[in-house]
Amino acid sequence: MLLRDILNMPTSSAIDRIRVIDGPNAVDLEREGAQSAPSLPRFTDAPGINSKTALAVKGLGKTYTTQNGTNTVLRDVSFAINAGDSVAIVGANGSGKSTSLRCAMRLIEPTTGEIFLEGRPLMGLSGLALRKARSKVGFVFQKHNLSTRLSVLSNVLHGGFARGCGIRNWTHSIAPKEERDRALDCLDQVGLADLAGRRADQLSGGQSQRVAIARALMQGPSLIFADEPAASLDPKAGEDMMALFSDLCRRTGLTLIVVSHNLEHALAYADRLIGLQAGSVVLDRKSTGLTREDLAWLYEETGA
Amino acid sequence: MSLNETLTRAMPQRWQAPGLVPSLLFCVFIAFFAWSLSRAGISIPDLIAGIPAMGTIASEMVPPATDRLLPMMNSVLTTFQMALVGAGIGIVLSFPIAILATRTLSPHPIVYSATRAFVSFVRTVPDLAWALFFVASVGLGPFAGTLALIMDTIGFCGRFFAESMEEVDPGPSEALAAMGAKRADIIACAVVPAATPGLTNASLYSLEKAVRSSVVLGLVGAGGIGAELAVSMEMFRYDQAATIVLMIFVLVLGVERFSAYARSKFLDGARPKL
């Protein structure tokens, strides 16, 4: 308690304003939050889906059952993200950031909750319908997750699978000309068109991650989910990576949701922050005017 | 907890005394091994008494006979061709079986367990038993031998293909699943490329294994050089037997050299880019 108070003293008013959803003074702060931050989305009842909502999740929860009982990693996570927004999900290790992204795409099946992707529910889908829905979201992981024994161009071509490009997109050697051209365009957008013929294991970390982004662009997505895209890169490459995302989103109008524990990146490149703590949303507001110090409380130990 | 709180130092013991049960089990094992030695019929006097006979056989082996060289070479070729076809068809059939037997790719846990059990069963039956079974069902000759080699290869490759595919990094598969790729796309573009070294190794090893066992299969009438070897030994033509053994040696060595070459080509990352 002592440390937090000392840290928070100079900016306690800012802290109060952002600690709107949870915490000891939730009721007071909610009133204050409503006054000072009118743009604050709240999910008291309906997730407020409208034509501009790219992704809405409501009451998302994930509980693992183990021999030692149950382990709840997400509880009642709700947010709605408008098309064209760039949002950062922040929080300490194990707060459920990556899990919430994976659950939102049902890569991990959520225990409870609803998901609306461009207004359409995702929970009931399976098979082709689920694959089509997933193809709207380009997922970029902390690791590039390329097939390193294949060429760069083949890896980018794999982004076309969900559009129904079949076996011919397995490798660039047999891919149709339009698909090859399209893949090269995607590589061009991340500045790597000169490396299309190279084997993917001969790239640097930053280049590999950019190929992963080109592969996501090949899907023709309307959203990009980026799970710690800069965490395995050196600071310079990480900075370049975030700048590239930001630039891509501005140029193409893509909606970006980035999970990061790098607060500088989150504050610099996202318009809105969603903070998770122990699997719950404890912060959801615009990033303007916030500093690193304002968010230090997110990283404190909880549940002690 | 504050930092200046004294931490308990915990130096691990250099050795830990084994528990009662492991000690007992070890003693039981030693006793069993001693009993096994006595039952294995090891007899130094018999070995010594056998030395002159060994010398006679060895001396009769030189010089190796050359009178039936051409038919023998033909048989060696048949042996190799049986091994090649048996291993080849076996490898192709192993692939879909291995996918069903891969935990991460199998469509259902029941399918996974059933396929695993099938592959284990096929592997447990020795190649000679398969050969006897097929000789009895399809008759003498290379076809029976080839079928036996196919089963043997399925038992081997089915397991090791599945293990190679289970061991690959799940990241690329997850990435393709997140894009909405089909299972077949994921297998072809994420799993198989990453498992290529393991698949290549298992395939080449199964070819070597097929060549070695195809020699023995001839002994039960399943075609190839084995039959020649059996006849030569039974007719005390040790010089002919020597020729056959040398030919087998050259064949096995050749296949192993080829295998080593193919491995280096496939595993060093210098393959053409797909």
Side-chain angles (χ1 to χ4, degrees):
Chain A
M1 135 178 193
L2 284 169
L3 189 67
R4 179 204 294 184
D5 280 8
I6 294 162
L7 268 178
N8 284 357
M9 240 181 322
T11 54
S12 59
S13 62
I15 298 292
D16 286 349
R17 251 182 288 118
I18 59 181
R19 205 183 266 183
V20 287
I21 290 174
D22 207 318
N25 309 329
V27 180
D28 288 349
L29 298 170
E30 208 166 298
R31 184 162 42 79
E32 196 191 335
Q35 288 164 359
S36 57
S39 65
L40 209 77
R42 287 300 315 268
F43 294 99
T44 44
D45 31 51
I49 302 164
N50 56 45
S51 57
K52 278 183 68 190
T53 309
L55 173 75
V57 299
K58 192 188 171 197
L60 209 59
K62 178 68 192 175
T63 302
Y64 289 103
T65 310
T66 61
Q67 293 110 317
N68 312 327
T70 59
N71 177 21
T72 301
V73 292
L74 284 186
R75 42 193 120 220
D76 198 24
V77 169
S78 300
F79 52 79
I81 287 162
N82 287 337
D85 279 2
S86 62
V87 178
I89 300 182
V90 293
N93 287 336
S95 59
K97 308 186 295 292
S98 299
T99 310
S100 59
L101 274 198
R102 282 179 167 75
C103 280
M105 270 301 96
R106 289 178 58 202
L107 293 179
I108 298 172
E109 204 63 56
T111 319
T112 58
E114 291 168 83
I115 305 157
F116 299 90
L117 186 65
E118 295 184 322
R120 278 188 222 96
L122 198 66
M123 283 312 290
L125 302 183
S126 64
L128 179 67
L130 179 62
R131 291 196 284 109
K132 286 272 180 207
R134 280 177 174 166
S135 75
K136 296 205 177 79
V137 178
F139 216 123
V140 178
F141 298 83
Q142 175 172 348
K143 269 171 51 228
H144 52 73
N145 284 342
L146 301 176
S147 280
T148 51
R149 298 179 73 87
L150 302 179
S151 71
V152 167
L153 194 63
S154 295
N155 271 290
V156 177
L157 279 163
H158 295 168
F161 282 145
R163 288 200 313 272
C165 310
I167 291 175
R168 290 190 68 188
N169 270 30
W170 282 4
T171 149
H172 79 89
S173 309
I174 56 169
K177 187 180 181 306
E178 324 75 82
E179 289 290 307
R180 281 166 60 97
D181 287 342
R182 201 175 154 159
L184 197 65
D185 287 344
C186 293
L187 274 174
D188 217 0
Q189 290 199 55
V190 299
L192 288 180
D194 55 328
L195 299 182
R198 202 177 269 194
R199 236 174 88 138
D201 53 8
Q202 290 164 357
L203 302 178
S204 71
Q207 287 170 336
S208 302
Q209 195 61 292
R210 282 195 278 165
V211 173
I213 296 171
R215 178 170 66 177
L217 292 176
M218 184 74 182
Q219 294 172 235
S222 47
L223 284 92
I224 298 272
F225 280 10
D227 184 7
E228 304 272 15
S232 57
L233 305 176
D234 65 54
K236 170 76 173 65
E239 206 64 47
D240 292 348
M241 180 61 46
M242 295 307 296
L244 174 67
F245 269 122
S246 159
D247 180 53
L248 275 175
C249 292
R250 215 180 12 254
R251 272 192 292 135
T252 59
L254 279 171
T255 311
L256 176 68
I257 304 176
V258 57
V259 160
S260 181
H261 53 214
N262 185 326
L263 286 178
E264 277 93 354
H265 286 167
L267 289 169
Y269 295 106
D271 311 326
R272 180 174 146 203
L273 295 185
I274 294 174
L276 289 179
Q277 202 168 44
S280 300
V281 176
V282 292
L283 161 78
D284 188 343
R285 59 158 283 170
K286 282 180 178 279
S287 59
T288 42
L290 282 180
T291 66
R292 256 181 84 93
E293 287 70 32
D294 296 337
L295 299 168
W297 61 275
L298 266 175
Y299 294 87
E300 283 160 21
E301 299 277 332
T302 53
Chain B
M1 202 189 293
S2 85
L3 276 175
N4 39 20
E5 199 173 302
T6 316
L7 295 166
T8 321
R9 287 157 57 108
M11 177 70 86
Q13 295 220 306
R14 286 180 192 271
W15 304 100
Q16 286 180 339
L20 185 64
V21 174
S23 315
L24 277 177
L25 283 176
F26 186 70
C27 290
V28 167
F29 172 75
I30 293 292
F32 184 76
F33 190 85
W35 182 44
S36 307
L37 265 181
S38 71
R39 302 235 312 179
I42 290 182
S43 156
I44 301 297
D46 283 359
L47 189 65
I48 294 169
I51 287 174
M54 287 185 204
T56 315
I57 294 173
S59 68
E60 277 176 32
M61 280 182 157
V62 272
T66 51
D67 51 336
R68 296 196 63 240
L69 210 54
L70 232 60
M72 280 178 185
M73 281 169 93
N74 189 32
S75 287
V76 169
L77 186 64
T78 312
T79 302
F80 175 68
Q81 286 170 325
M82 272 166 57
L84 191 67
V85 171
I89 294 177
I91 287 165
V92 171
L93 293 180
S94 292
F95 193 70
I97 292 173
I99 287 171
L100 297 180
T102 302
R103 191 186 301 276
T104 43
L105 304 176
S106 195
H108 194 275
I110 291 173
V111 177
Y112 163 79
S113 304
T115 322
R116 278 267 152 148
F118 168 73
V119 171
S120 297
F121 170 75
V122 170
R123 191 173 54 248
T124 318
V125 177
D127 49 1
L128 222 50
W130 281 119
L132 287 168
F133 170 71
F134 286 120
V135 165
S137 47
V138 304
L140 291 167
F143 183 45
T146 309
L147 286 175
L149 290 170
I150 290 174
M151 295 312 282
D152 211 33
T153 305
I154 288 175
F156 179 80
C157 285
R159 175 183 169 188
F160 285 99
F161 282 7
E163 280 177 7
S164 300
M165 292 194 282
E166 247 164 42
E167 279 161 15
V168 302
D169 172 21
S173 303
E174 190 190 21
L176 289 190
M179 284 172 193
K182 284 198 288 275
R183 190 198 302 267
D185 297 330
I186 295 171
I187 292 170
C189 298
V191 179
V192 169
T196 305
L199 299 178
T200 312
N201 250 331
S203 302
L204 290 172
Y205 189 73
S206 77
L207 178 66
E208 291 173 34
K209 200 161 114 52
V211 169
R212 277 194 297 268
S213 46
S214 66
V215 172
V216 187
L217 295 185
L219 295 176
V220 296
I225 192 71
E228 298 264 358
L229 185 61
V231 170
S232 299
M233 294 295 275
E234 275 159 21
M235 297 175 69
F236 306 109
R237 285 294 306 271
Y238 296 122
D239 53 342
Q240 278 188 1
T243 312
I244 294 168
V245 169
L246 281 176
M247 284 178 164
I248 293 169
F249 172 71
V250 170
L251 174 67
V252 171
L253 195 72
V255 170
E256 281 178 6
R257 291 309 306 152
F258 163 77
S259 227
Y261 168 78
R263 256 187 207 105
S264 72
K265 275 288 163 194
F266 264 97
L267 306 190
D268 70 355
R271 283 286 79 204
K273 291 176 286 280
L274 286 173

